[in-house]
Amino acid sequence: MSKLEIHQIPVLNDNYLYLIKDPDSDAVGIVDPAVAEPVVEKLEELGWTLTHILNTHHHMDHTGANLELKEKTGCMVVGAGNDAERIPGIDLRLADGEMFDFGTQQAKIFEVPGHTTGHIAYWFEQSDALFCGDTLFALGCGRLFEGTPMQMWNSLRKFLDLPDETRVFCAHEYTESNAHFAMTIEPQNHDLRERFDLIQELRSQGKPTVPSLLGEEKATNPFLRPDSDHIKQTLGMPGADVVEVFAEIRARKDSF
Ligand code: ZN
Ligand code: FE
């Protein structure tokens, strides 16, 4: 079976948009269009016609071009049903566990509240692709603007069940600063040290660190590892439960 064709478009300071196409149909989508112009340019360059906007959450740097692109192309806007009033132009309201049909491809929808109350992620299993917005970042996670640590942990842990080869298409290039922070949380982690070096090298050459693989996130991202004994030791929280540890890591990152 074919996999999605995916073009990564860097915009604004550190946002990534993803222009996706199902090779076996006319379905063309843009994930989290912050701005319209680079999307329109890329569509013209590729000769594609936009059919869908896939939103992960309501923030302007993810939905800013919804209405303009919808007006220009007549595409369908897809987003979180439980946050529909904040998703401009929403047509299709999705909920946890639903399958979203994108041409011949299907995405499983995960409701992943924490960064915002109505945040969803799209998992295209046959393409090994997870579009997770501002929930999981390479070596980081989103700030808790509207949710609790427990909510965010329960959201992130859903991703732990997905295959290691899943590519994590997050919405921001925050990796270098996340890597510096991660090293303060689990300096004993050899995989993390190696990844830290690689990230430094990529960024010094101006290259993206996104997408990453879910397997490397599971092994090195402190926000997926609150049950690590090394992390508990570093934080001086032996015996604490995962949510307490997760909350402490998030709190430290907020003031890092
Ligand atoms: Zn956001
Ligand atoms: Fe964002």
Side-chain angles (χ1 to χ4, degrees):
M1 257 189 280
S2 333
K3 293 192 175 195
L4 287 175
E5 199 176 316
I6 303 174
H7 292 266
Q8 185 165 12
I9 309 175
V11 303
L12 306 177
N13 281 337
D14 48 38
N15 281 74
Y16 287 127
L17 315 186
Y18 299 103
L19 187 61
I20 63 177
K21 184 175 189 310
D22 170 24
D24 299 326
S25 74
D26 292 329
V28 172
I30 184 75
V31 181
D32 283 346
V35 289
E37 209 179 283
V39 179
V40 173
E41 278 173 15
K42 196 74 186 170
L43 285 166
E44 278 169 9
E45 177 193 322
L46 295 165
W48 293 357
T49 304
L50 192 66
T51 59
H52 293 81
I53 289 170
L54 285 68
N55 289 132
T56 61
H57 67 295
H58 77 90
H59 284 155
M60 272 299 284
D61 64 316
H62 300 254
T63 60
N66 272 21
L67 296 180
E68 190 179 340
L69 289 172
K70 185 177 178 177
E71 187 157 318
K72 228 173 216 140
T73 65
C75 68
M76 170 188 276
V77 178
V78 178
N82 64 359
D83 214 358
E85 65 286 351
R86 295 195 292 181
I87 311 285
I90 190 167
D91 298 297
L92 181 61
R93 300 158 186 235
L94 296 169
D96 195 52
E98 280 186 327
M99 300 302 291
F100 161 57
D101 288 312
F102 179 73
T104 67
Q105 303 256 336
Q106 283 201 311
K108 185 174 184 185
I109 302 306
F110 294 99
E111 281 178 2
V112 283
H115 178 67
T116 64
T117 49
H119 195 304
I120 57 173
Y122 301 79
W123 178 42
F124 288 87
E125 180 174 8
Q126 80 182 63
S127 293
D128 297 320
L130 176 69
F131 297 97
C132 52
D134 291 355
T135 302
L136 177 66
F137 293 127
L139 285 179
C141 82
R143 277 181 188 266
L144 305 185
F145 288 120
E146 300 177 6
T148 64
M150 185 181 290
Q151 269 182 322
M152 188 56 135
W153 169 244
N154 284 330
S155 295
L156 290 173
R157 65 193 290 193
K158 294 180 180 182
F159 300 148
L160 293 175
D161 295 332
L162 306 185
D164 286 357
E165 60 271 23
T166 307
R167 294 171 292 164
V168 179
F169 292 95
C170 64
H172 293 274
E173 178 64 62
Y174 291 156
T175 317
E176 191 168 13
S177 120
N178 287 345
H180 283 282
F181 173 72
M183 290 288 278
T184 69
I185 299 296
E186 198 177 14
Q188 313 89 335
N189 185 330
H190 292 288
D191 294 333
L192 174 60
R193 285 162 173 273
E194 276 177 26
R195 194 174 173 195
F196 179 88
D197 292 340
L198 181 65
I199 287 163
Q200 299 266 72
E201 198 180 311
L202 285 169
R203 292 311 291 156
S204 70
Q205 297 165 15
K207 291 182 182 160
T209 62
V210 177
S212 59
L213 292 178
L214 197 51
E216 41 178 354
E217 298 306 330
K218 291 176 192 175
T220 57
N221 185 326
F223 295 96
L224 293 181
R225 302 173 53 74
D227 57 348
S228 146
D229 287 333
H230 280 146
I231 290 182
K232 290 183 188 175
Q233 188 188 321
T234 305
L235 299 178
M237 300 176 79
D241 74 49
V242 282
V243 175
E244 290 173 318
V245 177
F246 178 82
E248 175 63 20
I249 300 170
R250 189 56 257 179
R252 289 190 183 208
K253 179 66 170 66
D254 287 342
S255 56
F256 182 68

